[in-house]
Amino acid sequence: MDAAQEAHNREAFRQAIVNTLERRLFYIPSFKIYRGVAGLYDYGPPGCAVKSNVLAFWRQHFVLEENMLEVDCPCVTPEIVLKASGHVDKFTDLMVKDEKTGTCYRADHLLKDFCKEKLEKDPKITQEKAAEFKHILAVLDDLSVEELGAKIKDYGITAPDTKNPLSAPYPFNLMFQTSIGPSGLSPGYMRPETAQGIFVNFKDLYYYNGNKLPFAAAQIGQAFRNEISPRQGLLRVREFTLAEIEHFVDPDDKAHPKFSEVAKLEFLMFPREDQVSGRSARRIIIGEAVSEGIVNNETLGYFIGRVYLFLTYLGIDKERLRFRQHLANEMAHYAADCWDAEIECSYGWIECVGIADRSAYDLRAHTDKSGVPLVAHEKFAEPREVEKLVITPVKKELGLAFKGNQKMVVEALEAMGEKEAMEMKATLESKGEAEFQICTLGKDVTIKKNMVTISKEKKKEHQRVFTPSVIEPSFGIGRIIYCLYEHSFYTRPSKDGDEQLNVFRFPPLVAPIKCTVFPLVQNQQYEEVAKSIAKSLTAAGISYKIDITGTSIGKRYARTDELGVPFAITVDSTSSVTVRERDSKQQIRVNVEEVASVIKDVTDGPSTWGDVLWKYPTHSS
């Protein structure tokens, strides 16, 4: 099958799913009667139920099983917080404008679309050109402003809607700006992530946890990004739900006591070296990945394993799930290691979970900006003589050299780690000056020998004070749910074979409704039995839908299969009923009194459909 045919099939498959999801009200464009707003969507009843079930399982799988501390912080965030975290200065995408209409487009998306269209639809493309376009797609995220602008110009890419010329690319901050209070003097932003709320509360959470490490805090909430040109449905939106974990750990000991529980898991991993050398993702045992140094440490490896289990329990196909390691030039300068859980769907491989070792960057940044030490303590049984790094900025000399930027330079120098400080000391002694990056200024500056004193002093200490490292798994819930929709969707012929019926094979864990109740015919006795069963299902905490219309049973089955309902209860006598499983279409006879406990067992309990087939009489539909 050629690339063009593959692209056509992917588009047709995607359209069938989206049509079904919108028609059955899983989600719809927001403000539809006013022609909608790009990048904003409403979840309808079944979509809300799926999302609620996914989040409930996330809480069980992570918050409860790992004994995490859950918080709920405001969406509106003061500017000073996001200034400290770097979002105000660096949370940008590159944008181009239609020079005549002013319409904005995301620059990398235009280049990506151009290359993909050439590869998929140009029959005359040469091997050399095809290799060039594939290379661009591979390095797209690493192109500089100048390189991106040059490619758009070289290929003659114009505005998609008008074919007008485009401006040169320039950065656009993705945060929604607002002001707090009526004066407008207190600037703020709608948060682009939930993590900062946890970081600024570290001191109180550490105290709540008995001043003990390691511990994890978690938060589920809305985040906002003012996307330049949102597309791909639920995959790139302006308001979305994040579920984030910040696991605080001693930077000198990143072992995890429960690592053995996931160490034998084997799944698709895509290490940095394999990407660079052009190899494909391969199956690796996570314990071996950690022991061989492919994954930086046990705690990071533990969470990669737990994320794998979470996604596959939800119903994500394990053959279309991989963990891709960030390339060296992708990683933030402070990160020790970072992996993305990527799920393959009709749009390609989509990043749905990021699992990063962010070192101590965030707590240090907020310590520097707020003046409140966000640190942990390790008390020694006996006093220890330690060699202590002492960094003494010469403020007079720094003030003369950097004037209004003096404070930021002083803060950056004082925040240096030991390795960086000793390297600077050696350079200053040999050359008399050293280049030094100031993150808050976004540039390098020259530090001269007379501007700072760096030394080591021996002293006795009764405790060790340190800034914890943080391991951060961050989940894009909407992206996970959309990929789950694609992985769960299939069609099968109707009983007569005259049409294809849509089915979502959701596991009972996430299905929006666990079962349906159908009186076989419109009959007072059957309807009374149906109501009695409904009452027992409610008491057992099982979601259900009751349908007493006169529609044929086959059509009612088809309607609920399209919603992904795993079980249907057909009331065809007053003493026992038929229970049908969605995917196999197998049916069993169950006494009316037992129905709720059987459904409870196969949706929330230890039993599977295979288990109940041994216990009850069966017949085919």
Side-chain angles (χ1 to χ4, degrees), residues 380 385-391 418 422 454-461 463-466:
F380 302 143
E385 188 171 82
V386 296
E387 204 171 41
K388 197 78 174 174
L389 176 70
V390 179
I391 301 171
E418 184 172 328
M422 297 315 291
I454 300 170
S455 61
K456 283 191 172 182
E457 296 177 2
K458 286 187 176 180
K459 55 171 70 175
K460 282 190 175 182
E461 288 193 344
Q463 66 175 357
R464 170 177 160 243
V465 180
F466 61 94

Side-chain angles (χ1 to χ4, degrees), residues 203-331:
K203 186 176 180 180
D204 291 327
L205 292 169
Y206 180 57
Y207 175 77
Y208 182 87
N209 200 55
N211 295 329
K212 290 178 183 175
L213 283 183
F215 76 91
Q219 181 168 194
I220 296 170
Q222 297 304 97
F224 306 83
R225 297 181 185 178
N226 194 12
E227 294 286 349
I228 295 165
S229 48
R231 53 189 186 166
Q232 300 182 331
L234 295 180
L235 298 181
R236 190 168 293 280
V237 292
R238 288 177 164 137
E239 179 181 351
F240 50 95
T241 301
L242 282 179
E244 294 191 296
I245 296 163
E246 309 301 332
H247 180 93
F248 298 101
V249 63
D250 187 333
D252 295 340
D253 180 13
K254 293 180 182 177
H256 197 288
K258 292 167 67 178
F259 183 67
S260 60
E261 295 179 15
V262 303
K264 292 181 182 177
L265 289 174
E266 184 180 48
F267 42 79
L268 281 174
M269 299 188 76
F270 204 7
R272 186 179 298 132
E273 288 72 19
D274 291 4
Q275 297 172 57
V276 171
S277 58
R279 293 194 293 266
S280 300
R282 56 193 165 101
R283 301 185 71 81
I284 302 177
I285 296 169
I286 188 64
E288 293 177 5
V290 172
S291 63
E292 293 170 15
I294 297 170
V295 172
N296 185 271
N297 58 75
E298 272 192 9
T299 298
L300 187 64
Y302 177 74
F303 278 107
I304 290 173
R306 291 289 290 164
V307 169
Y308 169 80
L309 292 173
F310 171 74
L311 293 173
T312 51
Y313 286 156
L314 285 182
I316 295 299
D317 180 356
K318 61 183 70 173
E319 299 305 319
R320 290 190 282 166
L321 167 64
R322 72 183 186 192
F323 290 81
R324 187 185 72 81
Q325 187 176 28
H326 280 204
L327 298 173
N329 54 4
E330 275 185 277
M331 292 223 300

Side-chain angles (χ1 to χ4, degrees), residues 85 331-337 356-362 439:
S85 66
M331 292 223 300
H333 67 276
Y334 51 79
D337 197 4
D357 181 337
R358 296 174 62 95
S359 298
Y361 171 80
D362 300 282
C439 294

Side-chain angles (χ1 to χ4, degrees), residues 5 88 118 161 242 278 295 322 391-392 574 589 608:
Q5 186 59 48
V88 171
K118 286 291 183 184
D161 303 318
L242 282 179
V295 172
R322 72 183 186 192
I391 301 171
T392 311
T574 55
R589 297 294 305 175
T608 65

